[in-house]
Amino acid sequence: MGVLTFCTKRVYLPIMSSRNLLLKSARPSALVLVMLLLLGTGGSPAGAASISYTTMGQQLTGELTNTEFTEAVCYQVVVPLDQMDDAVTQFSSPKILFNVEPTAGMPHMRISTYGCPNDGFRYGLEYMNTQMINSLKAAGTPVPAYWEWPGDQEIVTASLSHQQWFVAVYNYNPSGRNFRGPVNPAAWKFSSRIFDAAVNSADTLVNFLGISPSTWNRTVEVGSKEGIPAGSSAIEFFPPGMGTRSSPANPPSGVDSLEYQFYVLDISSYVGNSKEGYIQSVVSPPKAEDGSELCGPSCVEGACDDCLKVSPNCYKAFDADCKEVTFNISGLKTALSVYADVDFDNSGELVDGELKRKVPFEFFLNNPNNWTLASAEGIKAKLDWIPSTKVVPDPAYDAETRLEEGDWFKASDLEQGSEPGSLRLLVTGFKNDVNQVYLVNIAVRDATGKAGVYSIATMQASEAVYGKLLHAYLYLFGFGC
């Protein structure tokens, strides 16, 4: 078994990508007691605010009181000696896993074996997406900071080389790596466990119902397909453990008893257009490869009839009176993809005297300053649950209503989807008067109340309206965190 060597330099060790690790499991490779000592904000063991104990699969909640980067909650993770001995002698590849699931803000882990990192002790583990690092290094390109998706779930695994670990959870500090700092104090769920990497991979330990991500298609599709009544849209999905080539022929045990809650949120004002909205205020408008504008002179209010013909790659959208409405997100996503490999140091650009950034479209949607998309608690706090009437809420709920229990649907309440094994809910009430954009997602829970989330999706009219009324139907594309 290799022993970790810590030094003053920040060492980024291999971890699982957060993109596929959004859901929970209580199925460990062995039942191993891990003691968690909550050392409180400030992290001093002498001033411990409280002491808690947990077994694998259980969680501790934590939160910060402000957005300062120096404040932290520190956990002392102690593996009991007998369990440590069993793991070292009986496991082929003993490892320890640390998991922080955000419920608000941008929680970020640093891990040490010396003491709490926020007390000044040096640390050798800090979360970073390994998939990103390896792919970029292989391509010989620098690491773009915005691929870290701050605010998403953080999962770190390491060789079980020590009995005692100290995990400090901070607000994410974007300095030198990002431009989007937290505006809400971080809140999270923290858990830790040890496991045999030769038997279980980290993803199966944190996935919902112990189901491997390779057997579960978590994509959410929204649209008006053949056979769906006019005015309705279908939110379609696969139950856990189904929908991929690796899925079993029969649903996993317990799937039939699951319940689902459906969520939507109109983010049209956030996406905005070329005159107003968050994206235009911070993004550097992309250009064609030859340096020309993607939206030419014919793509302006009052004279937009020839926009698509003259500028087929324009991402602007207009209503019947040629008034600019919400960006066409399909076109905007394609246009901003040219910035996918731009590193932070080279992302700044002056546009009409204002500093703007070159970043991809998904970076704006996965914004934990507005919503947390990686957890059931996060989407419930910021998105609107669809009631039993199956009508999109209008107006949007207030904060108190969002936190109500809401309506949950069993599989028997849903229709069979267009694919074998899939399910769907037919809803009404999606608007398209200003080319609206919606976030759409689904939470799933078992009989114990343990919940997980699907991959968030965005939904908009299939075609923008240019100078004339077109029949609007819905399309979607999903994106991972």
Side-chain angles (χ1 to χ4, degrees), residues 424-441:
R424 71 185 182 191
L425 178 73
L426 295 184
V427 299
T428 59
F430 285 114
K431 293 181 176 181
N432 188 37
D433 53 310
V434 292
N435 207 32
Q436 273 88 345
V437 180
Y438 291 88
L439 292 179
V440 181
N441 207 359

Side-chain angles (χ1 to χ4, degrees), residues 19 131-133 135-137 139 141-149 177-178 283-284 286-287 332-347 357-364:
R19 178 173 301 179
Q131 178 181 349
M132 170 198 68
I133 293 176
S135 62
L136 291 174
K137 283 185 176 179
T141 56
V143 178
Y146 47 76
W147 270 44
E148 295 178 48
W149 305 119
R177 298 163 70 183
N178 214 298
V283 71
S284 180
K287 293 180 170 44
L332 189 63
K333 180 182 179 183
T334 300
L336 294 179
S337 66
V338 300
Y339 297 151
D341 292 329
V342 178
D343 60 63
F344 176 71
D345 291 339
N346 297 309
S347 65
R357 297 288 179 179
K358 300 178 179 180
V359 290
F361 178 65
E362 289 87 346
F363 180 72
F364 298 100

Side-chain angles (χ1 to χ4, degrees), residues 313-346:
N313 296 320
C314 180
Y315 44 85
K316 291 182 181 180
F318 302 88
D319 65 12
D321 298 320
C322 271
K323 179 181 178 181
E324 188 176 357
V325 291
T326 310
F327 281 133
N328 181 327
I329 55 174
S330 179
L332 189 63
K333 180 182 179 183
T334 300
L336 294 179
S337 66
V338 300
Y339 297 151
D341 292 329
V342 178
D343 60 63
F344 176 71
D345 291 339
N346 297 309

Side-chain angles (χ1 to χ4, degrees), residues 46-374:
S50 62
I51 298 177
S52 300
Y53 302 91
T54 183
T55 57
M56 284 197 307
Q58 294 180 331
Q59 297 174 315
L60 296 177
T61 59
E63 62 181 0
L64 298 176
T65 60
N66 58 53
T67 57
E68 297 296 324
F69 305 132
T70 55
E71 184 185 12
V73 168
C74 186
Y75 299 94
Q76 182 183 8
V77 180
V78 181
V79 183
L81 187 58
D82 59 337
Q83 304 289 357
M84 182 81 175
D85 290 342
D86 288 345
V88 172
T89 57
Q90 298 178 23
F91 288 2
S92 298
S93 180
K95 289 198 171 186
I96 188 166
L97 177 148
F98 306 99
N99 180 25
V100 166
E101 179 181 332
T103 56
M106 304 182 189
H108 181 66
M109 278 191 290
R110 290 176 181 168
I111 304 167
S112 172
T113 57
Y114 299 101
C116 291
N118 50 309
D119 275 344
F121 288 93
R122 59 183 179 177
Y123 55 93
L125 293 170
E126 183 174 11
Y127 176 84
M128 177 72 77
N129 190 309
T130 302
Q131 178 181 349
M132 170 198 68
I133 293 176
N134 291 341
S135 62
L136 291 174
K137 283 185 176 179
T141 56
V143 178
Y146 47 76
W147 270 44
E148 295 178 48
W149 305 119
D152 202 348
Q153 188 176 28
E154 295 192 349
I155 298 172
V156 176
T157 63
S159 297
L160 189 60
S161 57
H162 293 75
Q163 182 189 7
Q164 179 173 257
W165 305 75
F166 297 87
V167 183
V169 184
Y170 297 79
N171 288 302
Y172 176 83
N173 187 343
S175 300
R177 298 163 70 183
N178 214 298
F179 73 89
R180 186 178 67 189
V183 297
N184 300 311
W188 62 86
K189 291 183 177 180
F190 174 78
S191 61
S192 180
R193 65 191 71 188
I194 64 175
F195 67 103
D196 188 351
V199 177
N200 292 94
S201 60
D203 57 359
T204 59
L205 290 177
V206 298
N207 201 12
F208 188 68
L209 293 181
I211 295 170
S212 172
S214 65
T215 65
W216 183 7
N217 182 351
R218 292 190 301 107
T219 301
V220 177
E221 294 188 359
V222 188
S224 295
K225 299 181 179 180
E226 184 177 354
I228 295 177
S232 296
S233 301
I235 302 177
E236 190 164 314
F237 64 99
F238 284 96
M242 302 182 66
T244 72
R245 293 182 179 179
S246 303
S247 300
N250 298 316
S253 176
V255 166
D256 291 340
S257 64
L258 298 177
E259 294 182 311
Y260 304 90
Q261 193 162 62
F262 298 84
Y263 292 88
V264 297
L265 183 67
D266 186 339
I267 60 168
S268 306
S269 60
Y270 174 74
V271 174
N273 52 43
S274 65
K275 300 181 298 180
E276 56 187 3
Y278 178 71
I279 292 180
Q280 65 84 30
S281 69
V282 296
V283 71
S284 180
K287 293 180 170 44
E289 291 185 3
D290 61 3
S292 62
E293 299 289 340
L294 292 176
C295 298
S298 59
C299 299
V300 295
E301 289 193 343
C304 67
D305 288 345
D306 294 330
C307 181
L308 277 181
K309 181 171 67 175
V310 178
S311 304
N313 296 320
C314 180
Y315 44 85
K316 291 182 181 180
F318 302 88
D319 65 12
D321 298 320
C322 271
K323 179 181 178 181
E324 188 176 357
V325 291
T326 310
F327 281 133
N328 181 327
I329 55 174
S330 179
L332 189 63
K333 180 182 179 183
T334 300
L336 294 179
S337 66
V338 300
Y339 297 151
D341 292 329
V342 178
D343 60 63
F344 176 71
D345 291 339
N346 297 309
S347 65
E349 183 176 55
L350 287 176
V351 178
D352 297 330
E354 296 185 28
L355 178 63
K356 298 190 176 183
R357 297 288 179 179
K358 300 178 179 180
V359 290
F361 178 65
E362 289 87 346
F363 180 72
F364 298 100
L365 290 188
N366 187 26
N367 188 343
N369 287 328
N370 290 332
W371 40 71
T372 299
L373 305 179

